[in-house]
Amino acid sequence: MKNKIGIIIICAVVAFVAIISAFVLNEQSNDFMNMEKATEEQMEVLIAGKEEKYVNVNVVTFNGYSISADKNENTLYICQNINEKNWQGELITNDGNKLYVLSDELMNNKTEAIKQAHRFKAYSIGETSYSDFDLIFTGLSTINFHAEEKEDELSTGRLVITDTIRGELYMERPLDIYGSLKEKKKKDNLPGHVNYKMELFADEHGRSYDSALLGMREDDDWELDSVMENEYAQNGKLAYSIWNEICDKEGYEGFKTESEYAYLFVDDVKVGLYLVRVPYDKRQLKLNNSDSFEEWDRLETASYTDPDEREFIDYSLFIQLVYAPKNLVKNKYILEKDIGEGRRSYKLPRHLEYLFEYLPDNLTEYTDTVGEELYSYVLNDPDVEALKKNGAIGKDDVKNKWNELRKSALSDETIFGLFNEQYNYLENTGFVAACSFDDNVNVREQFKSYLSSRLEFLDSYYENDQIIPAGKITVEDIKASYNGKEVSLYKANDGYYAFMPAYTDLRKTELIIPDGIEINFKDDRKNGFKEGHKYEFSAVIGDELATDTLTFMKSENLPAMFIETKSKSLSYILADSEYSEPGKFEIINADGEEGFKGEFKKLKGHGRSSWILPLEKKAFNMILYESERLMEAGASRHWVLLANSRDGAFIRNKLTYDIAAKTGMRSTPQSSFCDLYINGKYAGNYQLCQKFEISEDVLDITDLDELNAQENPTDDIKTIPTLQWDGRRGVKLENNPTDITGGYLIQGNRSRKYVVGFFHSNRDYRVEIKFPEFPSVEETDYIYNYFQLAEDAVYAPDGINPETGIHYSDYIDVESFAKKYLIDEYSKNVD
């Protein structure tokens, strides 16, 4: 009997435990990240009769810390470690509301929810109101910045950095400190893609604070490089990883650089994906007072102490592989120190950018054959070329080092292993899905095909005595020639065209046909070519037969300008708007008479937004060695070749300039139309225009840059530090000219483009100082004060400055302002 009672009690206990367990499990299953789960029907009941309000993202916290949020998308980004199976952390409100989340199958599959960047729908419900918002769980770390003070490009405030890389502790307890973000001085910052310097503070007083962010070494200064959110997002991390592999294999472990991905949020707006880097510094490189470590921006002034030839070649081959031309010319560090072999010079990468650039639209084209564009990927490192010239190294040294690295740091296994590692990480953390690539698998395979082609091409290049192999001959290699000028054919959808200068006599025009092409025309050409006629032809190239048409076109009454760059290619100049090359040019008038023949110091890109846009015609700046009179314009050293790409008639700029000149506006740029040919290729109709410069023929004002140089003869003004104060910036010159009243050329500009001198007016109007290009602190102050007096007078009800009693007409030339305003209105000049 006792045994039966014992069995009954045990069964009762087991049943009770089972009921309690079921209740507890049911309670747990109805809870997700401390939010109560509900169906859509249940949610409709919960919010019925309540007022809908916009969610205040700051009242929702993750484990008590502020959450990275994008108020524009009404979305909270919750960090998760992708190596942890279970969901981590709790969401809490500090306003008394209760959090709910719609039940979702992916709550039971954390890995897929993160990988898909899946959006969960959540609600914050109070007694009388509610708000809804989305939740995205990301495997990426986040940097959440709230500005408290801002001056120009520098903001200080609160930083909350959530680290998903190092495990549960670092993710669930974010770093919550003071800090600053400063926009880096880069001319090529794209809209929405600004690079930053980030500094960590121990408190609001700005005392530095070292932290090992994202598993990297401790530091208080950090670099934030913007990552384009597209299929090439892994390029930066991949390049730095390749550099680190080279350093490991070559014994330069101290030159490695660390980097990790993180999303950046500023004032509750998602700015984008960033590569967080620890910059090189004296601590990492173990420098002493006799060592030198400099940012190198001007190659022509370089002077190295006993370059380490082996490391210089390593650096050159690295840049060659990842294709970062700017890091050869400037954008690099020069280190001079003793690392066991005596005092020597070394090169280190500084802010790698535009990596693996100029990828063709169809990457798979390069798996079977190397196209012409890929040949331009050979980057001649001027430092390595100099070492060759002085006999320090030979061609075989570079070739042997390439072959050596191909068996280790640059092997296919290493390169593709690093690529897969970066791509897999971005995919598993949800970034790839968030970018909505059309075909993730195809994107991955296309880029791997490109990497294969790049490696194969460089293998061939170094095996072929570092000579670029001849490209495949095509019909476009045929040239039309008249009076010594050769013009390449242009391929259009309806055939080939030869765009000839206005002075061309088509009856005497010849075709220069390279060896390997046999061409036959169907039409009779006894009397030469005729304009506008489509000549049918067949061309035999090797074993291939091509049929097409050729049409000759020419302008009327236009001069022709022929430009030849030193490299006889535009590849380098087109790589970046700041890249330039010297060369020579010739202007031939419409009647065939020579208009001018000379050389230029620089040809480079012109414009900013227009240069970034995918326009076939690009505008250029051309700088001569001396002022010259070109076409119908006055003498100038600086010229602009306006492409007028977005004006189908090509006349709007010219018409506006001409109207301005007719009204008597001083210093209106003079310009003329021309047919432009660059390296034998027809570039199109261009407008050759004077650029503003201080000279008798353009802008006849006092040249303060020249006077500043005279007062400081022992200093290179370009390298003197600047001072920034009260929304102003200028150069800290030791001596100023006696008279600093002008001239000045200033312009209003709210862009992020870096300039040496600028000021903000009291009405927060940003004014950039164009001339002098390097204004002193005192000169910046002078023109700021003058501008402020004028602005205060203009905004006064009676037009009189309340402090000075002077009318605005005594500060400005009212007639010229009126003319400028009317011309802007008439021409709809939105700039």
Side-chain angles (χ1 to χ4, degrees), residues 264-328:
L264 175 65
F265 295 80
V266 176
D267 295 332
D268 296 324
V269 173
K270 178 186 168 190
V271 181
L273 183 67
Y274 276 76
L275 196 61
V276 183
R277 293 189 296 110
V278 190
Y280 289 111
D281 59 20
K282 291 184 178 181
R283 177 169 42 178
Q284 177 198 353
L285 299 171
K286 300 178 182 178
L287 304 184
N288 57 43
N289 293 333
S290 64
D291 295 329
S292 172
F293 182 60
E294 299 182 41
E295 295 182 1
W296 214 264
D297 280 338
R298 294 180 178 85
L299 184 71
E300 59 269 22
T301 60
S303 176
Y304 306 137
T305 301
D306 190 16
D308 185 313
E309 295 90 353
R310 182 168 60 98
E311 198 271 347
F312 267 49
I313 295 174
D314 285 337
Y315 180 87
S316 178
L317 293 176
F318 162 67
I319 297 300
Q320 185 74 270
L321 174 62
V322 303
Y323 192 73
K326 189 177 262 189
N327 294 84
L328 285 183

Side-chain angles (χ1 to χ4, degrees), residues 450-470:
Y450 165 76
L451 284 176
S452 295
S453 299
R454 183 75 180 130
L455 289 165
E456 289 171 8
F457 169 68
L458 291 173
D459 283 339
S460 173
Y461 173 70
Y462 286 107
E463 193 61 36
N464 191 34
D465 200 29
Q466 297 171 53
I467 297 173
I468 299 175

Side-chain angles (χ1 to χ4, degrees), residues 690-703:
Q690 286 177 314
K691 190 174 182 180
F692 271 122
E693 66 176 351
I694 298 176
S695 70
E696 292 183 4
D697 289 285
V698 185
L699 194 62
D700 192 7
I701 60 176
T702 302
D703 190 340

